[in-house]
Amino acid sequence: MATAAETRDVFKEVFGGAGEIIAAKAPGRVNLIGEHTDYNDGFVLPMAISHGVTIVGRLRNDRMVRLRSLDYGESAEFDLDERYDARGPRWSQYVEGVARTFDEEYNGEIRGFEAALTGDVPQGSGLSSSAALEVAAGLLIDELNSLGTGRVEIALFGQKAEHNYLGVKCGIMDQFASCLCRKDHALFLDCRSLEHKHAPLKLREEVVLILDSGKSRGLADSKYNERRAACEEGVRILSGAIPGIRALRDVSEAQFDCYSGMLPDEVKRRCRHVVTENQRALDSMEALLKEDMERFGALMFASHESLRFDYEVSCEELDVLNEIAKDSREIIGERMTGAGFGGCAVALARREGLEDLKAVLSERYFKKTGRRLKIYETSPASGAAIVD
Ligand code: ADP
Ligand code: MG
């Protein structure tokens, strides 16, 4: 990815030199544990990754927004005083959605701007390049207009933009992680209250690996809706025995063991995943506070099992990776991450012998699946920031 300085140079070439130029950067994220818990009002534990999106911009005196994407080699523009027509290239719709959301929130007082952007978050692999783009754009717009918008609001505006302008009904985790994560920490987020805590994750002898299976997440959308429906069905039935529950988040493991007999088998397994996964997210937070990496790794492995057998959102490729990881002494924990049916896995691995490990993983994965594994090495990075 081009650096902020290089992006500034491109900006100047495209838009000319005069006036104050501001740069904002926001990271992608990987979810360490707490999968398919967000829409059950539960807990997630993501961290920001080293890959991000940088956007460089300058205020205009009118309400026009002019954009240049370095990576797509394209330009786009729109007028905040005209209606949204969804005719710009997809990448520009994210920035436009965020700009229009800010404009709605601030009563039409957002000024136009021109901006150049670039990023190195792999797109469409489940590392949330879209949230990185939204949050970077949000931070830039906030700074250019001197609005002083809070971090949580910037995340919420990004989510709103994705809902209202991109038509993607995403949860809040991605924008939240991109906006609020801290270096050397994971972020524990309660998806109901938005309360959050920073869990120390200073990796000395370990490293986080993101393993991109290369399998695209084809079935994910329809299966996702089925899973949501099963969770709702579970809540409906269980509320007969546990009054007042609103979501699976409200069901403890002990309550579940007591009443799960009321549920049809498939609904039972779906709900069991969510209930146990919420507990694993809580236990992971404890493990991180104690710097107990072995415990944390064990919870990651347990999460994969649960996603594979109870929630049934894994796939052959992700299971092959998991089996290889379990066989490897250098890997402390590993699980599929994201919605499933393809995409990425995340692993906590020992740094010693890492090059050998990467070679072995790739070779074994290729032998079993015929696919090339992409491996990204990362550690918990900072959330979005204004940069030089
Ligand atoms: P992801 O899982 O990576 O968030 P999405 O499909 O939600 O996948 O978002 C990917 C989209 O975000 C891309 O198609 C593109 O429109 C936009 N995007 C991400 N990174 C960049 C970038 N560096 N430059 C321009 N657009 C980007
Ligand atoms: Mg996305």
Side-chain angles (χ1 to χ4, degrees):
M1 163 170 105
T3 61
E6 287 160 352
T7 314
R8 277 173 191 270
D9 290 343
V10 173
F11 177 92
K12 285 179 196 157
E13 266 168 45
V14 177
F15 300 110
E20 193 195 4
I21 301 170
I22 289 171
K25 186 176 177 188
R29 64 93 189 97
V30 63
N31 191 22
L32 294 169
I33 204 158
E35 210 64 75
H36 287 282
T37 47
D38 55 347
Y39 51 87
N40 290 292
D41 278 2
F43 310 118
V44 293
L45 191 69
M47 62 170 235
I49 59 176
S50 337
H51 303 72
V53 168
T54 299
I55 182 164
V56 167
R58 182 176 60 201
L59 271 186
R60 291 173 57 95
N61 288 323
D62 57 13
R63 297 257 292 162
M64 284 298 295
V65 176
R66 295 176 60 208
L67 302 170
R68 176 77 188 171
S69 158
L70 273 64
D71 306 323
Y72 286 84
E74 287 175 350
S75 298
E77 63 174 41
F78 61 92
D79 184 342
L80 282 166
D81 284 328
E82 274 167 28
R83 286 174 67 90
Y84 182 62
D85 60 14
R87 283 219 303 264
R90 185 87 177 159
W91 61 266
S92 74
Q93 291 176 11
Y94 288 92
V95 181
E96 179 163 0
V98 173
R100 290 189 183 276
T101 302
F102 268 78
D103 201 44
E104 288 153 18
E105 299 287 337
Y106 287 100
N107 308 313
E109 284 173 10
I110 297 302
R111 279 170 61 186
F113 60 96
E114 40 221 4
L117 57 116
T118 177
D120 64 354
V121 187
Q123 295 175 26
S125 295
L127 300 177
S128 224
S129 65
S130 60
L133 176 53
E134 289 152 14
V135 170
L139 199 59
L140 177 73
I141 292 165
D142 178 65
E143 189 73 15
L144 287 174
N145 290 277
S146 306
L147 299 169
T149 314
R151 286 287 169 137
V152 172
E153 280 66 40
I154 293 180
L156 287 167
F157 294 173
Q159 182 197 29
K160 222 177 194 179
E162 195 150 337
H163 284 193
N164 296 343
Y165 293 93
L166 281 301
V168 180
K169 297 283 171 214
C170 57
I172 187 60
M173 169 173 71
D174 302 347
Q175 292 81 3
F176 218 89
S178 180
C179 210
L180 283 111
C181 275
R182 281 190 195 154
K183 189 173 165 56
D184 296 330
H185 288 79
L187 183 77
F188 182 88
L189 172 66
D190 178 334
C191 295
R192 173 179 281 167
S193 66
L194 299 189
E195 271 173 45
H196 51 282
K197 290 180 216 154
H198 298 277
L201 184 55
K202 187 152 179 57
L203 300 178
R204 295 180 189 91
E205 277 127 53
E206 305 88 9
V207 61
V208 171
L209 297 179
I210 294 163
L211 310 171
D212 188 340
S213 71
K215 167 90 190 288
S216 65
R217 301 168 293 164
L219 282 172
D221 285 353
S222 63
K223 299 284 177 191
Y224 177 83
N225 291 335
E226 277 174 40
R227 297 300 180 277
R228 280 189 89 128
C231 294
E232 280 163 23
E233 175 74 353
V235 172
R236 196 184 58 75
I237 299 172
L238 289 172
S239 63
I242 322 169
I245 58 168
R246 283 193 284 144
L248 287 174
R249 142 71 179 280
D250 299 310
V251 180
S252 70
E253 280 188 321
Q255 284 173 323
F256 186 77
D257 289 344
C258 204
Y259 300 115
S260 62
M262 299 166 72
L263 304 172
D265 180 63
E266 193 178 285
V267 173
K268 178 171 157 182
R269 287 186 293 116
R270 304 295 186 249
C271 294
R272 183 167 58 203
H273 165 71
V274 176
V275 171
T276 58
E277 185 76 355
N278 273 325
Q279 190 58 48
R280 280 187 289 273
L282 288 164
D283 293 346
S284 295
M285 177 73 189
E286 293 265 295
L288 292 186
L289 289 171
K290 290 184 193 148
E291 292 191 34
D292 187 346
M293 292 301 161
E294 300 299 322
R295 170 88 182 121
F296 181 50
L299 289 161
M300 290 174 84
F301 280 131
S303 170
H304 188 89
E305 291 281 296
S306 178
L307 288 158
R308 176 177 179 179
F309 295 110
D310 274 351
Y311 219 59
E312 295 184 275
V313 290
S314 188
C315 63
E316 199 189 323
E317 288 81 356
L318 292 168
D319 291 338
V320 164
L321 270 176
N322 186 252
E323 297 296 336
I324 298 170
K326 282 193 285 191
D327 267 353
S328 157
R329 275 191 337 107
E330 293 81 13
I331 294 188
I332 306 162
E334 192 266 7
R335 56 181 285 275
M336 56 154 278
T337 185
F341 302 104
C344 292
V346 59
L348 185 66
R350 286 177 233 286
R351 206 179 284 272
E352 203 182 323
L354 187 60
E355 290 313 310
D356 288 345
L357 173 67
K358 288 203 267 187
V360 168
L361 287 177
S362 300
E363 188 195 310
R364 290 202 188 153
Y365 184 68
F366 183 74
K367 249 187 201 153
K368 293 221 159 145
T369 63
R371 290 178 188 272
R372 301 265 172 222
L373 186 64
K374 277 201 214 107
I375 305 180
Y376 305 100
E377 201 180 313
T378 185
S379 54
S382 309
I386 298 295
V387 292
D388 286 339

